[in-house]
Short mmCIF file of all heavy atoms in Angstrom, two decimals:
data_model
loop_
_atom_site.label_atom_id
_atom_site.label_comp_id
_atom_site.label_asym_id
_atom_site.label_seq_id
_atom_site.Cartn_x
_atom_site.Cartn_y
_atom_site.Cartn_z
N VAL A 1 106.03 82.34 62.27
CA VAL A 1 106.65 83.50 62.63
C VAL A 1 105.72 84.35 63.33
O VAL A 1 104.64 84.50 62.72
CB VAL A 1 107.37 84.32 61.49
CG1 VAL A 1 107.93 85.55 61.93
CG2 VAL A 1 108.43 83.43 60.78
N ALA A 2 106.01 84.78 64.52
CA ALA A 2 105.05 85.60 65.36
C ALA A 2 104.88 86.99 64.65
O ALA A 2 105.79 87.55 64.00
CB ALA A 2 105.64 85.80 66.78
N VAL A 3 103.81 87.52 64.93
CA VAL A 3 103.38 88.90 64.37
C VAL A 3 104.40 89.95 64.91
O VAL A 3 104.81 90.78 64.15
CB VAL A 3 101.82 89.27 64.77
CG1 VAL A 3 101.56 90.72 64.30
CG2 VAL A 3 101.06 88.42 63.97
N LYS A 4 104.64 89.93 66.27
CA LYS A 4 105.67 90.74 66.76
C LYS A 4 107.04 90.75 66.10
O LYS A 4 107.67 91.84 65.94
CB LYS A 4 105.76 90.49 68.25
CG LYS A 4 106.56 91.52 69.04
CD LYS A 4 105.80 92.83 69.12
CE LYS A 4 106.57 93.80 69.96
NZ LYS A 4 105.95 95.12 69.82
N THR A 5 107.36 89.57 65.64
CA THR A 5 108.70 89.43 64.92
C THR A 5 108.73 90.14 63.69
O THR A 5 109.63 90.98 63.42
CB THR A 5 109.05 88.07 64.71
OG1 THR A 5 109.04 87.23 65.94
CG2 THR A 5 110.24 87.76 64.05
N ILE A 6 107.54 90.02 62.92
CA ILE A 6 107.44 90.80 61.70
C ILE A 6 107.35 92.28 61.91
O ILE A 6 107.94 93.07 61.21
CB ILE A 6 106.23 90.29 61.03
CG1 ILE A 6 106.24 88.93 60.61
CG2 ILE A 6 105.96 91.12 59.68
CD1 ILE A 6 107.34 88.42 59.85
N GLU A 7 106.71 92.70 62.93
CA GLU A 7 106.43 94.14 63.28
C GLU A 7 108.03 94.71 63.57
O GLU A 7 108.33 95.79 63.16
CB GLU A 7 105.56 94.39 64.56
CG GLU A 7 104.28 94.20 64.18
CD GLU A 7 103.25 94.16 65.31
OE1 GLU A 7 103.80 94.27 66.43
OE2 GLU A 7 101.99 94.18 65.06
N ASN A 8 108.77 93.82 64.27
CA ASN A 8 110.16 94.34 64.53
C ASN A 8 110.96 94.35 63.35
O ASN A 8 111.81 95.29 63.16
CB ASN A 8 110.72 93.42 65.67
CG ASN A 8 110.23 93.65 66.98
OD1 ASN A 8 109.87 94.73 67.31
ND2 ASN A 8 110.37 92.59 67.80
N TYR A 9 110.83 93.56 62.44
CA TYR A 9 111.53 93.50 61.11
C TYR A 9 111.17 94.76 60.44
O TYR A 9 112.07 95.44 59.73
CB TYR A 9 111.18 92.23 60.34
CG TYR A 9 111.82 90.91 60.69
CD1 TYR A 9 111.25 89.71 60.30
CD2 TYR A 9 112.98 90.90 61.52
CE1 TYR A 9 111.82 88.56 60.85
CE2 TYR A 9 113.49 89.78 61.84
CZ TYR A 9 112.95 88.48 61.56
OH TYR A 9 113.43 87.28 62.01
N VAL A 10 109.95 95.03 60.35
CA VAL A 10 109.44 96.22 59.61
C VAL A 10 109.92 97.52 60.22
O VAL A 10 110.50 98.45 59.49
CB VAL A 10 107.84 96.30 59.50
CG1 VAL A 10 107.46 97.67 58.96
CG2 VAL A 10 107.32 95.10 58.77
N LEU A 11 110.03 97.59 61.65
CA LEU A 11 110.53 98.72 62.26
C LEU A 11 112.02 98.97 61.89
O LEU A 11 112.46 100.06 61.77
CB LEU A 11 110.38 98.47 63.70
CG LEU A 11 110.76 99.65 64.63
CD1 LEU A 11 110.26 100.99 64.29
CD2 LEU A 11 110.71 99.41 66.18
N ARG A 12 112.75 97.84 61.90
CA ARG A 12 114.23 97.94 61.66
C ARG A 12 114.44 98.34 60.20
O ARG A 12 115.41 99.10 59.94
CB ARG A 12 114.97 96.64 61.94
CG ARG A 12 115.07 96.46 63.47
CD ARG A 12 115.94 95.23 63.72
NE ARG A 12 115.12 93.99 63.56
CZ ARG A 12 115.55 92.84 63.88
NH1 ARG A 12 116.65 92.66 64.43
NH2 ARG A 12 114.72 91.85 63.77
N LEU A 13 113.66 97.78 59.29
CA LEU A 13 113.72 98.32 57.89
C LEU A 13 113.31 99.77 57.76
O LEU A 13 114.07 100.51 57.00
CB LEU A 13 112.91 97.38 56.97
CG LEU A 13 113.27 96.05 56.73
CD1 LEU A 13 112.27 95.15 56.07
CD2 LEU A 13 114.53 96.07 55.89
N ARG A 14 112.32 100.18 58.46
CA ARG A 14 112.00 101.61 58.34
C ARG A 14 113.09 102.53 58.89
O ARG A 14 113.39 103.47 58.27
CB ARG A 14 110.72 101.90 59.20
CG ARG A 14 109.53 101.37 58.50
CD ARG A 14 108.16 101.67 59.25
NE ARG A 14 108.18 103.05 59.70
CZ ARG A 14 107.39 103.38 60.76
NH1 ARG A 14 106.57 102.63 61.38
NH2 ARG A 14 107.42 104.71 61.04
N GLU A 15 113.73 102.09 59.98
CA GLU A 15 114.93 102.86 60.51
C GLU A 15 116.12 102.80 59.47
O GLU A 15 116.69 103.84 59.33
CB GLU A 15 115.33 102.24 61.88
CG GLU A 15 114.34 102.47 62.95
CD GLU A 15 114.61 101.77 64.26
OE1 GLU A 15 115.50 100.92 64.19
OE2 GLU A 15 113.95 101.99 65.19
N LYS A 16 116.37 101.58 58.84
CA LYS A 16 117.45 101.48 58.05
C LYS A 16 117.37 102.41 56.69
O LYS A 16 118.26 102.99 56.18
CB LYS A 16 117.62 100.10 57.55
CG LYS A 16 118.75 99.76 56.68
CD LYS A 16 118.87 98.33 56.37
CE LYS A 16 120.09 98.07 55.34
NZ LYS A 16 120.35 96.70 55.10
N PHE A 17 116.07 102.43 56.25
CA PHE A 17 115.81 103.20 55.06
C PHE A 17 115.15 104.57 55.33
O PHE A 17 114.75 105.25 54.36
CB PHE A 17 114.87 102.41 54.14
CG PHE A 17 115.53 101.15 53.42
CD1 PHE A 17 115.34 99.97 54.03
CD2 PHE A 17 116.45 101.42 52.46
CE1 PHE A 17 115.94 98.77 53.53
CE2 PHE A 17 117.09 100.21 51.92
CZ PHE A 17 116.83 99.07 52.52
N ASN A 18 115.12 105.03 56.58
CA ASN A 18 114.66 106.21 57.05
C ASN A 18 113.23 106.49 56.46
O ASN A 18 112.95 107.53 55.93
CB ASN A 18 115.58 107.38 56.57
CG ASN A 18 115.42 108.64 57.32
OD1 ASN A 18 114.86 108.65 58.43
ND2 ASN A 18 115.72 109.76 56.63
N ALA A 19 112.35 105.53 56.54
CA ALA A 19 111.01 105.53 56.10
C ALA A 19 110.05 105.98 57.31
O ALA A 19 110.22 105.37 58.46
CB ALA A 19 110.49 104.24 55.50
N ASN A 20 109.12 106.86 57.08
CA ASN A 20 108.23 107.39 58.20
C ASN A 20 107.08 106.52 58.32
O ASN A 20 106.42 106.63 59.33
CB ASN A 20 107.96 108.82 58.00
CG ASN A 20 109.00 109.73 57.97
OD1 ASN A 20 109.91 109.52 58.92
ND2 ASN A 20 109.18 110.67 56.99
N SER A 21 106.78 105.61 57.41
CA SER A 21 105.57 104.70 57.47
C SER A 21 105.90 103.41 56.74
O SER A 21 106.75 103.38 55.96
CB SER A 21 104.40 105.30 56.98
OG SER A 21 104.57 105.58 55.54
N LYS A 22 105.02 102.45 56.89
CA LYS A 22 105.05 101.28 56.16
C LYS A 22 104.80 101.58 54.67
O LYS A 22 105.38 101.02 53.84
CB LYS A 22 103.91 100.17 56.64
CG LYS A 22 104.30 99.69 58.00
CD LYS A 22 103.18 98.68 58.26
CE LYS A 22 103.19 98.25 59.76
NZ LYS A 22 102.14 97.32 60.09
N GLY A 23 103.89 102.51 54.39
CA GLY A 23 103.67 102.90 53.01
C GLY A 23 104.87 103.59 52.29
O GLY A 23 105.20 103.15 51.21
N GLU A 24 105.61 104.20 53.06
CA GLU A 24 106.77 104.86 52.55
C GLU A 24 107.87 103.79 52.31
O GLU A 24 108.61 103.81 51.36
CB GLU A 24 107.38 105.94 53.43
CG GLU A 24 108.47 106.72 52.92
CD GLU A 24 108.88 107.93 53.74
OE1 GLU A 24 108.15 108.36 54.62
OE2 GLU A 24 109.99 108.31 53.60
N LEU A 25 107.92 102.80 53.20
CA LEU A 25 108.80 101.73 53.10
C LEU A 25 108.60 100.85 51.81
O LEU A 25 109.41 100.53 51.05
CB LEU A 25 108.79 100.87 54.32
CG LEU A 25 109.72 99.61 54.35
CD1 LEU A 25 111.32 100.05 54.32
CD2 LEU A 25 109.48 98.84 55.60
N LEU A 26 107.30 100.57 51.58
CA LEU A 26 106.87 99.91 50.44
C LEU A 26 107.16 100.72 49.14
O LEU A 26 107.80 100.18 48.11
CB LEU A 26 105.28 99.62 50.46
CG LEU A 26 104.85 98.96 49.25
CD1 LEU A 26 105.45 97.59 49.10
CD2 LEU A 26 103.28 98.69 49.45
N ASP A 27 106.98 101.99 49.15
CA ASP A 27 107.49 102.91 48.02
C ASP A 27 108.86 102.74 47.76
O ASP A 27 109.36 102.65 46.56
CB ASP A 27 106.94 104.29 48.20
CG ASP A 27 105.51 104.59 48.21
OD1 ASP A 27 104.72 103.77 47.67
OD2 ASP A 27 105.07 105.66 48.75
N LEU A 28 109.70 102.82 48.80
CA LEU A 28 111.14 102.71 48.71
C LEU A 28 111.50 101.43 48.13
O LEU A 28 112.47 101.25 47.27
CB LEU A 28 111.89 102.94 50.10
CG LEU A 28 111.74 104.33 50.49
CD1 LEU A 28 112.33 104.49 51.96
CD2 LEU A 28 112.60 105.23 49.56
N ALA A 29 110.93 100.31 48.60
CA ALA A 29 111.11 98.98 48.08
C ALA A 29 111.02 98.98 46.54
O ALA A 29 111.67 98.34 45.81
CB ALA A 29 110.34 97.84 48.86
N LEU A 30 109.77 99.41 46.21
CA LEU A 30 109.38 99.36 44.71
C LEU A 30 110.42 100.27 43.93
O LEU A 30 110.86 99.84 42.84
CB LEU A 30 107.98 100.07 44.55
CG LEU A 30 106.98 99.19 45.08
CD1 LEU A 30 105.62 99.80 45.03
CD2 LEU A 30 106.83 97.82 44.37
N GLU A 31 110.74 101.46 44.43
CA GLU A 31 111.75 102.29 43.84
C GLU A 31 113.14 101.60 43.62
O GLU A 31 113.85 101.64 42.74
CB GLU A 31 112.05 103.53 44.69
CG GLU A 31 113.02 104.51 44.12
CD GLU A 31 113.03 105.74 45.05
OE1 GLU A 31 112.00 106.27 45.50
OE2 GLU A 31 114.24 106.36 45.17
N PHE A 32 113.49 100.61 44.73
CA PHE A 32 114.79 100.00 44.57
C PHE A 32 114.70 98.71 43.85
O PHE A 32 115.81 97.96 43.83
CB PHE A 32 115.34 99.76 46.05
CG PHE A 32 115.88 100.99 46.77
CD1 PHE A 32 115.30 101.33 47.97
CD2 PHE A 32 116.75 101.88 46.10
CE1 PHE A 32 115.91 102.43 48.73
CE2 PHE A 32 117.19 102.97 46.80
CZ PHE A 32 116.78 103.30 48.04
N GLY A 33 113.58 98.43 43.33
CA GLY A 33 113.44 97.23 42.47
C GLY A 33 113.00 95.99 43.19
O GLY A 33 113.05 94.94 42.41
N TYR A 34 112.51 96.06 44.29
CA TYR A 34 111.97 94.89 44.90
C TYR A 34 110.48 94.55 44.51
O TYR A 34 110.00 93.56 45.01
CB TYR A 34 112.10 94.99 46.44
CG TYR A 34 113.59 94.96 46.99
CD1 TYR A 34 114.08 96.14 47.22
CD2 TYR A 34 114.22 93.77 47.05
CE1 TYR A 34 115.45 96.17 47.61
CE2 TYR A 34 115.48 93.74 47.37
CZ TYR A 34 116.13 95.02 47.75
OH TYR A 34 117.44 94.96 48.18
N GLY A 35 109.92 95.40 43.68
CA GLY A 35 108.54 95.22 43.32
C GLY A 35 108.28 93.93 42.49
O GLY A 35 107.13 93.59 42.28
N SER A 36 109.22 93.49 41.82
CA SER A 36 109.00 92.32 40.93
C SER A 36 108.45 91.13 41.65
O SER A 36 107.82 90.12 40.99
CB SER A 36 110.34 91.82 40.22
OG SER A 36 111.30 91.40 41.15
N ASN A 37 108.61 91.04 42.91
CA ASN A 37 108.09 89.93 43.67
C ASN A 37 106.72 90.23 44.35
O ASN A 37 106.09 89.32 45.01
CB ASN A 37 109.15 89.62 44.81
CG ASN A 37 110.37 89.07 44.34
OD1 ASN A 37 110.36 88.44 43.30
ND2 ASN A 37 111.37 89.45 45.07
N ILE A 38 106.22 91.37 44.15
CA ILE A 38 104.96 91.84 44.73
C ILE A 38 103.87 91.84 43.65
O ILE A 38 103.92 92.50 42.71
CB ILE A 38 105.03 93.20 45.33
CG1 ILE A 38 106.06 93.25 46.47
CG2 ILE A 38 103.52 93.65 45.90
CD1 ILE A 38 106.39 94.65 46.88
N PRO A 39 102.92 90.87 43.75
CA PRO A 39 101.92 90.86 42.70
C PRO A 39 101.08 92.18 42.51
O PRO A 39 100.84 92.89 43.64
CB PRO A 39 100.92 89.75 43.14
CG PRO A 39 101.62 88.96 44.11
CD PRO A 39 102.73 89.88 44.78
N GLU A 40 100.74 92.44 41.39
CA GLU A 40 99.97 93.86 41.02
C GLU A 40 98.72 93.82 41.99
O GLU A 40 98.38 94.95 42.42
CB GLU A 40 99.60 93.79 39.64
CG GLU A 40 99.01 95.13 39.22
CD GLU A 40 99.98 96.24 39.21
OE1 GLU A 40 101.22 96.09 38.95
OE2 GLU A 40 99.61 97.46 39.37
N SER A 41 98.03 92.70 42.19
CA SER A 41 96.87 92.85 42.90
C SER A 41 96.96 93.23 44.38
O SER A 41 96.18 93.87 45.14
CB SER A 41 96.11 91.44 42.99
OG SER A 41 96.94 90.33 43.53
N MET A 42 98.21 92.92 44.96
CA MET A 42 98.51 93.45 46.37
C MET A 42 98.80 94.83 46.43
O MET A 42 98.65 95.48 47.42
CB MET A 42 99.82 92.48 46.85
CG MET A 42 99.35 91.15 47.10
SD MET A 42 100.92 90.21 47.75
CE MET A 42 100.98 90.95 49.36
N LEU A 43 99.14 95.49 45.31
CA LEU A 43 99.41 96.87 45.38
C LEU A 43 98.17 97.72 45.25
O LEU A 43 98.19 98.87 45.61
CB LEU A 43 100.40 97.27 44.13
CG LEU A 43 101.78 96.64 44.12
CD1 LEU A 43 102.47 97.00 42.77
CD2 LEU A 43 102.52 96.93 45.33
N LYS A 44 97.04 97.10 44.97
CA LYS A 44 95.86 97.85 44.88
C LYS A 44 95.03 97.86 46.29
O LYS A 44 94.11 98.66 46.44
CB LYS A 44 94.91 97.31 43.82
CG LYS A 44 95.54 97.48 42.45
CD LYS A 44 94.63 96.69 41.37
CE LYS A 44 95.30 96.86 40.06
NZ LYS A 44 94.68 96.14 39.01
N THR A 45 95.40 96.95 47.12
CA THR A 45 94.64 96.88 48.38
C THR A 45 95.73 96.85 49.50
O THR A 45 96.90 96.36 49.36
CB THR A 45 94.08 95.40 48.50
OG1 THR A 45 93.21 95.29 47.36
CG2 THR A 45 93.23 95.32 49.76
N GLN A 46 95.40 97.57 50.64
CA GLN A 46 96.37 97.79 51.64
C GLN A 46 96.49 96.34 52.42
O GLN A 46 95.40 95.80 52.93
CB GLN A 46 95.97 98.73 52.69
CG GLN A 46 97.03 98.88 53.81
CD GLN A 46 96.54 99.99 54.85
OE1 GLN A 46 95.73 100.85 54.51
NE2 GLN A 46 97.32 100.06 55.88
N LEU A 47 97.70 95.70 52.35
CA LEU A 47 98.01 94.55 53.04
C LEU A 47 99.26 94.49 53.84
O LEU A 47 100.08 95.31 53.50
CB LEU A 47 98.10 93.38 51.96
CG LEU A 47 96.83 93.02 51.00
CD1 LEU A 47 97.26 92.10 49.99
CD2 LEU A 47 95.79 92.45 51.92
N SER A 48 99.51 93.65 54.79
CA SER A 48 100.70 93.63 55.36
C SER A 48 101.49 92.61 54.62
O SER A 48 100.94 91.50 54.31
CB SER A 48 100.56 93.17 56.84
OG SER A 48 99.77 94.07 57.56
N ILE A 49 102.71 92.98 54.22
CA ILE A 49 103.49 92.08 53.50
C ILE A 49 104.98 92.04 54.23
O ILE A 49 105.35 92.85 54.85
CB ILE A 49 103.71 92.42 52.01
CG1 ILE A 49 104.36 93.88 51.90
CG2 ILE A 49 102.39 92.43 51.29
CD1 ILE A 49 104.83 94.11 50.46
N VAL A 50 105.72 90.97 53.79
CA VAL A 50 107.08 90.84 54.18
C VAL A 50 107.98 90.97 52.97
O VAL A 50 107.75 90.33 52.06
CB VAL A 50 107.26 89.47 54.87
CG1 VAL A 50 108.68 89.28 55.25
CG2 VAL A 50 106.34 89.33 56.03
N LEU A 51 108.98 91.80 53.12
CA LEU A 51 109.83 92.05 52.08
C LEU A 51 111.08 91.28 52.33
O LEU A 51 111.63 91.07 53.43
CB LEU A 51 110.30 93.46 51.84
CG LEU A 51 109.09 94.41 51.74
CD1 LEU A 51 109.72 95.94 51.67
CD2 LEU A 51 108.45 94.28 50.33
N LYS A 52 111.58 90.52 51.29
CA LYS A 52 112.81 89.76 51.37
C LYS A 52 113.73 89.94 50.17
O LYS A 52 113.26 90.39 49.18
CB LYS A 52 112.63 88.33 51.63
CG LYS A 52 111.86 87.74 50.42
CD LYS A 52 111.70 86.15 50.72
CE LYS A 52 111.07 85.43 49.37
NZ LYS A 52 111.17 84.15 49.48
N ASP A 53 115.04 89.80 50.37
CA ASP A 53 115.81 89.81 49.14
C ASP A 53 116.31 88.47 48.74
O ASP A 53 115.83 87.50 49.17
CB ASP A 53 117.03 90.84 49.38
CG ASP A 53 117.96 90.29 50.40
OD1 ASP A 53 118.46 89.19 50.46
OD2 ASP A 53 118.29 91.09 51.29
#
């Protein structure tokens, strides 16, 4: 998958969830219960991730 494709997915998710940043999108994902798939070590370091349901 191309980087641009992932960037577009993130942009659409930010628009859908009215998030102003990737960090805010991640906070919303955790709030909605999607955090169970994100290892604790990834939450301590800024990384680019892909969220899926």
Side-chain angles (χ1 to χ4, degrees):
V1 178
V3 172
K4 188 66 177 172
T5 301
I6 301 302
E7 289 174 351
N8 286 331
Y9 288 157
V10 171
L11 179 61
R12 284 188 283 188
L13 285 169
R14 284 180 51 199
E15 290 171 352
K16 181 177 182 176
F17 291 99
N18 198 26
N20 295 314
S21 67
K22 289 181 196 176
E24 188 176 340
L25 181 60
L26 181 56
D27 289 341
L28 288 169
L30 294 172
E31 183 179 318
F32 289 128
Y34 291 103
S36 62
N37 295 325
I38 303 171
E40 186 70 29
S41 62
M42 290 181 70
L43 297 176
K44 296 178 183 175
T45 306
Q46 182 177 350
L47 297 171
S48 296
I49 62 169
V50 178
L51 303 175
K52 65 177 184 172
D53 59 53

